[in-house]
Amino acid sequence: MKSGEITRFDVQAKCPHCENDTTIFQNELVDAEAECQHCDESFQIKLDEEY
């Protein structure tokens, strides 16, 4: 199977601190940790294991 390349990656995640949706881009995601654009708090995110 050939390998593809991710050319764009962004995720909408709900912040557990302020409950707002925030956009997380590939370069902002470090070790499954992100920072909310609204309250600047850090939180962990991960893919749902069902998918």
Side-chain angles (χ1 to χ4, degrees):
M1 177 181 283
K2 291 185 176 186
S3 294
E5 176 183 345
I6 296 174
T7 58
R8 181 175 179 202
F9 176 89
D10 58 29
V11 173
Q12 290 287 319
K14 184 176 290 281
C15 174
H17 302 283
C18 70
E19 299 293 319
N20 285 310
D21 285 342
T22 187
T23 302
I24 301 160
F25 296 97
Q26 183 175 3
N27 63 332
E28 297 173 327
L29 185 61
V30 178
D31 295 328
E33 190 171 300
E35 188 173 297
C36 179
Q37 296 169 327
H38 303 280
C39 69
D40 295 326
E41 292 287 337
S42 294
F43 61 96
Q44 286 189 320
I45 62 169
K46 63 180 182 176
L47 295 174
D48 190 333
E49 293 180 12
E50 289 184 22
Y51 301 102

